[in-house]
């Protein structure tokens, strides 16, 4: 996993609550057996005017000019600003893969769905929860100001807006450490092999039917 | 240990290691695998030169991509076919038990786990699928995981997580005649919202829950994720135990007796504390119909489509407007005036034998309305299908004008050929009404099997109790 330290990125506002993972990456793209290449189909149904299927040349498809990601001022955005319950629905990790592949490094919202949030951390994508009023502030800032950038500092757990406002955010210490150091969860867990084996032995004597 | 909730008991019995900050290594007893979320995990394992920790804990099946029509032809779509073949070859290579497409035990992963007795009380159960919460109906700690976590469980038999908060949804009283587990859970979601359970593990309790069959309990826990909770669960009791007796993966003989003794302890202790309690009166719940693009957008069948003008919160008002536009609905329209084009009876929410029986009861001797272009019944597994055919349910469906299909996820998410066309409106027994879920531009209304069957006959939503 790539390390995540700091991002100074262009922000794009997606002003909808309950954006679900079906919207982030529609199911026809889940047929892929790879982890990469989902970026061009991120938000496919909102982003294009035609119906997308795997294998299409996305550069030739008609774009929906009303969809925020298609507006030239937001090209190259690395930070997605969203509303509550972002990422609800299916557990598909294809959703963070698509966001990451598109170029996003962080998502800011008042709340995230649990599984999605977990999946983001596993892929070096930082989900940041801010209170609804702060998120409102940022929405106002980004819509009013072309070229609106935010600076995110994970180490310090702060976001700095162009007007100098600083927003503090919380992040789980363990996950922060993994992101900052690009640590692999499996490798970390395998440091506990002995404990896993001891647990298994104990459990087997208590509840042998679980091991048949 | 003092008084414990069911969640406490399940959690505590699976702790392998705990860090001071609460990050915990939790042992996983059962790992269910399907074709969509596993290929990258198998690949990751291979690239790292790792082997699965405990192959016997795994059970695999292809369900999302499989055709529900004649299977002797295989899968027509080459990309879907490759995904299913990838699962087959991964399972072959590693010796993982898999129910192949031609196996009568094949079906939706959340239907076959319990059906086989592969889901047992006291277990931790995971699958790369958010509706893994279904298995919590057996007093198991069951939750969906992403593909990185699938790989993590394969490699280590454990997951790193923090304990969630505990919520109790207490539903007392008796459900009225014709009101189902589906209506109950939709009413819960309508009450707490799709993010209401975020960060919680929900235990469903109360006399209305205890009165449910295992099928009904699975329907309720299935949709815990639609309330934002990764896990839903219900205490074990006689209903749980008699459902499991004799199932192929369930313990037998002396082990069975020992297991049952343990299972009887799997309930929240008297006086156990929850972080949040939500109360519902079962008697007040009516048949439910969703009108929008989120499961919380739900009303009783005798209600109306809401009017955004009456919503004060601007974010909520915006969501209602967007949903109504997508759904092609006018504010204040009575639910019973909404005409439908298709009917889907299936999915891991409602494709078990009782669901099919209940729907068949409604349509027996009647015929699908002329405006309904397609009505399909898709059993949750090959064994459910076989049982239904033994009872003659297939004939009732076919005579009423339904298509009787092979088992799989089907039009619940339309990854195979079963889907809505743009603008088509569907009465569906599945669990998600998101935009495009059942096909791009398709419009989904979530209902119980009885309500879907009644809508098929009437051509529009109608209170199944009055049909
Ligand atoms: S039936 Fe639907 S919700 Fe259930 S596992 Fe299949 S796709 Fe997911």
């Amino acid at each position: 996993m790539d390390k995540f330290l700091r991002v100074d990125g262009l922000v794009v506002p997606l002003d909808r609550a309950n954006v679900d993972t079906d919207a982030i990456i529609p199911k026809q793209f889940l047929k892929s057996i790879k982890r990469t290449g989902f970026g061009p189909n991120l938000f496919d149904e909102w982003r294009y005017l035609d119906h997308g299927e795997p294998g299409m040349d996305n550069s030739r498809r008609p774009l929906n000019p009303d969809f925020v990601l298609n507006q030239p001022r937001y090209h190259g955005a690395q930070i997605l600003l969203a509303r509550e319950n972002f990422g609800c629905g299916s557990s598909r990790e294809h959703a963070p893969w698509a966001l990451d592949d598109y170029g996003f490094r962080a998502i800011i919202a008042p709340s995230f769905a649990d599984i999605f949030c977990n999946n983001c951390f596993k892929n070096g994508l930082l989900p940041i929860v801010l209170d609804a009023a702060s998120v409102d502030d940022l929405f106002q800032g980004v819509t009013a100001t072309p070229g609106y950038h935010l600076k995110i500092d994970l180490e310090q757990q702060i976001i700095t807006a162009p007007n100098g406002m600083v927003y503090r955010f919380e992040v789980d210490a363990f996950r922060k450490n993994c992101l900052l150091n690009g640590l692999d969860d499996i490798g970390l867990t395998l440091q506990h092999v002995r404990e896993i084996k001891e647990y298994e032995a104990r459990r087997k004597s208590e509840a042998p039917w679980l091991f048949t | 240990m003092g008084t414990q909730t069911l969640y406490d008991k399940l959690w505590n019995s699976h702790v392998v290691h705990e860090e001071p900050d609460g990050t915990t290594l939790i042992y996983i007893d059962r790992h269910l695998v399907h074709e969509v979320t596993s290929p990258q995990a198998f690949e990751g394992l291979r690239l790292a030169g790792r082997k699965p920790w405990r192959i016997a804990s795994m059970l695999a099946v292809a369900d999302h991509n499989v055709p529900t029509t004649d299977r002797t032809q295989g899968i027509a779509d080459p990309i879907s076919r490759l995904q299913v073949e990838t699962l087959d070859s991964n399972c072959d290579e590693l010796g993982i038990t898999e129910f192949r497409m031609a196996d009568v035990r094949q079906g939706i992963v959340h239907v076959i786990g319990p059906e086989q007795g592969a889901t047992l009380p006291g277990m931790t159960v995971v699958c790369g699928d958010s509706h893994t919460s279904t298995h919590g109906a057996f007093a198991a700690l069951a939750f969906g995981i992403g593909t990185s976590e699938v790989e993590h469980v394969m490699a280590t038999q454990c997951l790193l997580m923090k304990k969630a908060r505990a919520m109790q949804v207490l539903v007392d009283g008796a459900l009225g005649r014709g009101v189902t587990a589906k209506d109950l859970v939709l009413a819960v979601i309508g009450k707490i919202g799709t993010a209401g359970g975020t960060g919680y593990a929900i235990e469903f309790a109360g006399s209305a829950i205890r009165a449910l069959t295992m099928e009904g309990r699975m329907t309720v826990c299935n949709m815990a994720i639609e309330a934002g909770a990764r896990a839903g669960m219900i205490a074990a009791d006689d209903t749980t135990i008699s459902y499991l007796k004799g199932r192929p993966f369930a313990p037998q003989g002396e082990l069975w007796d020992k297991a049952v003794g343990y299972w009887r302890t799997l309930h929240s202790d008297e006086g156990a504390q929850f972080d949040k309690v939500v109360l519902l009166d079962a008697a007040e719940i009516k048949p439910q119909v969703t009108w929008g693009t989120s499961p919380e957008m739900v009303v009783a069948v005798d209600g109306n489509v809401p009017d955004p003008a009456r919503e004060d919160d601007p974010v909520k008002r915006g969501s209602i407007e967007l949903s109504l536009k997508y759904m092609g609905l006018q504010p204040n329209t009575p639910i019973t005036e909404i005409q439908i084009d298709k009917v889907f009876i299936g999915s891991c929410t409602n494709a078990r034998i009782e669901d099919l029986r209940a729907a068949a009861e409604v349509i027996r001797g009647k015929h699908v309305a002329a405006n309904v272009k397609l009505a399909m019944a898709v059993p949750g597994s090959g064994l459910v299908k076989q049982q239904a055919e033994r009872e003659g349910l297939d004939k009732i469906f076919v005579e009423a004008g339904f298509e009787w299909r092979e088992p799989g996820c089907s039009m619940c998410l339309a990854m195979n050929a079963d889907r809505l066309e743009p603008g088509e409106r569907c009465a569906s027994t599945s669990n998600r009404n998101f935009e495009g879920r059942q096909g791009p531009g398709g419009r989904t209304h979530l209902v119980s099997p009885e309500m879907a069957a009644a809508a098929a006959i009437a051509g529009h939503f109608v209170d199944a109790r009055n049909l």
Side-chain angles (χ1 to χ4, degrees):
Chain A
M1 193 170 78
D2 293 338
K3 291 184 188 182
F4 187 110
L5 302 168
R6 255 169 250 105
V7 173
D8 181 351
L10 185 70
V11 184
V12 56
L14 182 60
D15 198 359
R16 292 181 77 135
N18 298 317
V19 170
D20 57 76
T21 52
D22 281 71
I24 298 173
I25 182 84
K27 66 247 159 186
Q28 60 270 34
F29 305 106
L30 273 49
K31 294 175 186 176
S32 164
I33 56 173
K34 306 239 161 308
R35 264 174 198 266
T36 50
F38 296 102
N41 300 109
L42 174 69
F43 298 120
D44 198 272
E45 282 179 26
W46 293 340
R47 204 158 135 204
Y48 300 97
L49 293 170
D50 64 345
H51 169 65
E53 282 292 333
M56 284 167 87
D57 178 357
N58 294 297
S59 65
R60 306 175 75 108
R61 296 175 55 201
L63 293 171
N64 171 8
D66 296 335
F67 185 55
V68 72
L69 250 59
N70 291 332
Q71 294 169 16
R73 63 183 276 198
Y74 297 122
H75 280 175
Q78 291 185 294
I79 298 169
L80 182 67
L81 186 62
R83 294 289 185 183
E84 64 191 29
N85 202 26
F86 187 86
C88 58
S90 123
S91 67
R92 59 187 72 166
E93 200 158 314
H94 312 67
W97 293 338
L99 288 158
D100 179 66
D101 199 53
Y102 180 88
F104 285 115
R105 305 293 317 281
I107 310 163
I108 303 172
S111 60
F112 292 92
D114 286 335
I115 304 179
F116 174 81
C117 188
N118 237 351
N119 286 341
C120 283
F121 280 108
K122 308 272 179 203
N123 291 281
L125 196 63
L126 178 62
I128 300 178
V129 176
L130 289 185
D131 61 274
S134 304
V135 170
D136 270 342
D137 271 7
L138 297 179
F139 264 99
Q140 275 172 18
V142 70
T143 33
T145 328
Y148 189 86
H149 273 62
L150 288 173
K151 288 196 177 78
I152 299 172
D153 185 331
L154 176 59
E155 175 83 71
Q156 303 291 320
Q157 298 179 217
I158 53 169
I159 301 173
T160 314
N163 62 2
M165 272 291 285
V166 173
Y167 303 87
R168 249 201 90 70
F169 61 89
E170 292 304 318
V171 57
D172 182 84
F174 174 78
R175 286 166 155 171
K176 175 177 170 180
N177 186 36
C178 288
L179 275 185
L180 286 174
N181 298 299
L183 297 178
D184 158 30
D185 274 8
I186 296 180
L188 288 176
T189 298
L190 288 174
Q191 294 173 1
H192 298 285
V193 164
R194 202 174 46 98
E195 280 163 288
I196 302 173
K197 291 199 167 145
E198 281 167 7
Y199 172 88
E200 275 183 330
R202 187 170 73 241
R203 189 74 176 153
K204 214 169 184 163
S205 66
E206 289 165 5
W209 60 89
L210 293 173
F211 293 84
T212 49
Chain B
M1 282 231 179
T3 56
Q4 291 183 298
T5 63
L6 171 58
Y7 179 53
D8 291 332
K9 293 180 185 179
L10 295 172
W11 178 270
N12 292 341
S13 59
H14 289 87
V15 173
V16 171
H17 174 88
E18 191 176 341
E19 296 286 341
D21 76 342
T23 302
T24 307
L25 209 52
I26 287 290
Y27 189 82
I28 303 302
D29 297 311
R30 176 68 68 205
H31 187 186
L32 303 168
V33 177
H34 68 81
E35 80 276 23
V36 181
T37 53
S38 66
Q40 298 88 349
F42 280 114
E43 190 196 48
L45 210 62
R46 208 171 288 129
L47 287 175
R50 292 174 176 135
K51 287 259 171 278
W53 183 281
R54 190 156 73 82
I55 284 170
S57 71
M58 299 170 75
L59 176 62
V61 71
D63 53 3
H64 286 62
N65 278 285
V66 299
T68 58
T69 46
D70 182 12
R71 291 208 174 146
T72 54
Q73 308 301 316
I75 303 176
D77 176 354
I79 317 179
S80 287
R81 190 168 61 231
L82 176 64
Q83 202 168 52
V84 174
E85 286 169 358
T86 304
L87 178 66
D88 293 351
S89 66
N90 280 323
C91 290
D92 271 352
E93 185 190 320
L94 296 165
I96 297 165
T97 306
E98 185 198 9
F99 298 160
R100 295 279 176 100
M101 217 163 70
D103 192 318
V104 69
R105 298 169 297 176
Q106 183 270 343
I108 305 170
V109 64
H110 308 308
V111 174
I112 68 161
E115 186 172 80
Q116 292 296 322
T119 302
L120 295 173
M123 272 184 168
T124 41
V125 180
V126 297
C127 174
D129 191 282
S130 58
H131 290 103
T132 310
S133 59
T134 311
H135 307 262
F138 291 83
L141 177 57
F143 49 88
I145 56 179
T147 299
S148 296
E149 289 180 317
V150 169
E151 186 182 336
H152 194 283
V153 175
M154 284 180 186
T156 70
Q157 209 60 41
C158 292
L159 273 180
L160 275 167
M161 50 200 311
K162 275 196 169 163
K163 197 172 174 190
R165 284 168 292 172
M167 180 189 293
Q168 185 188 42
V169 172
L170 193 61
V171 195
D172 276 320
L175 287 173
R177 182 187 62 87
V179 182
T180 68
K182 181 67 163 286
D183 301 306
L184 186 159
V185 70
L186 282 171
V188 170
I189 297 164
K191 180 164 174 142
I192 69 174
T194 44
T198 304
Y200 288 95
I202 298 181
E203 180 180 346
F204 297 95
S207 56
I209 300 292
R210 281 197 300 277
L212 292 174
T213 60
M214 282 323 293
E215 276 89 346
R217 295 179 188 186
M218 284 188 257
T219 301
V220 169
C221 289
N222 175 271
M223 291 193 73
I225 183 70
E226 260 57 65
R230 268 180 105 169
M233 64 195 81
I234 294 174
D237 60 9
D238 289 341
T239 307
T240 325
I241 292 163
S242 54
Y243 177 97
L244 288 169
K245 178 115 198 156
R247 305 246 164 206
F249 285 62
Q252 289 171 5
E254 240 174 81
L255 270 189
W256 168 263
D257 297 333
K258 193 165 178 209
V260 167
Y262 174 57
W263 296 345
R264 294 222 179 265
T265 68
L266 295 174
H267 52 77
S268 288
D269 296 330
E270 192 75 44
Q273 290 297 309
F274 290 86
D275 298 295
K276 189 168 177 180
V277 177
V278 174
L279 300 173
L280 263 85
D281 179 355
E284 282 178 11
I285 300 172
K286 296 177 187 171
Q288 306 280 308
V289 181
T290 66
W291 52 265
T293 53
S294 162
E296 69 184 14
M297 295 173 161
V298 65
V299 285
V301 61
D302 58 2
N304 295 338
V305 172
D307 189 342
R310 279 193 233 150
E311 175 61 57
D312 296 330
D313 178 342
V315 176
K316 283 203 183 116
R317 186 165 59 237
S319 301
I320 297 176
E321 282 164 356
L322 280 173
S323 285
L324 292 186
K325 182 159 174 252
Y326 181 85
M327 293 297 287
L329 290 173
Q330 294 304 318
N332 306 311
T333 307
I335 294 294
T336 50
E337 283 177 17
I338 301 174
Q339 298 246 337
I340 54 161
D341 305 302
K342 287 185 175 169
V343 177
F344 172 62
I345 296 179
S347 90
C348 57
T349 318
N350 282 126
R352 297 181 185 83
I353 188 69
E354 280 186 6
D355 301 313
L356 299 179
R357 283 182 194 139
E361 203 44 54
V362 173
I363 61 173
R364 187 193 294 272
K366 301 195 177 73
H367 201 275
V368 167
N371 61 305
V372 174
K373 289 184 250 178
L374 171 71
M376 53 197 296
V378 185
S381 72
L383 290 171
V384 168
K385 180 166 185 262
Q386 211 174 49
Q387 173 69 24
E389 288 173 357
R390 260 202 299 271
E391 297 176 17
L393 303 183
D394 56 324
K395 293 199 187 63
I396 299 176
F397 279 107
V398 171
E399 276 161 21
F402 270 78
E403 292 194 9
W404 179 250
R405 297 289 188 91
E406 298 296 327
C409 294
S410 180
M411 209 159 68
C412 172
L413 99 162
M415 249 182 107
N416 67 357
D418 310 335
R419 64 183 62 164
L420 299 180
E421 297 302 321
E424 278 183 344
R425 191 179 295 287
C426 182
S428 177
T429 65
S430 55
N431 44 44
R432 285 188 177 141
N433 50 357
F434 299 156
E435 283 188 19
R437 172 79 178 179
Q438 295 193 288
R443 295 162 172 165
T444 302
H445 296 267
L446 304 176
V447 287
S448 72
E450 287 88 330
M451 287 287 290
I457 302 302
H460 55 85
F461 291 109
V462 49
D463 191 334
R465 299 172 297 180
N466 306 334
L467 194 75

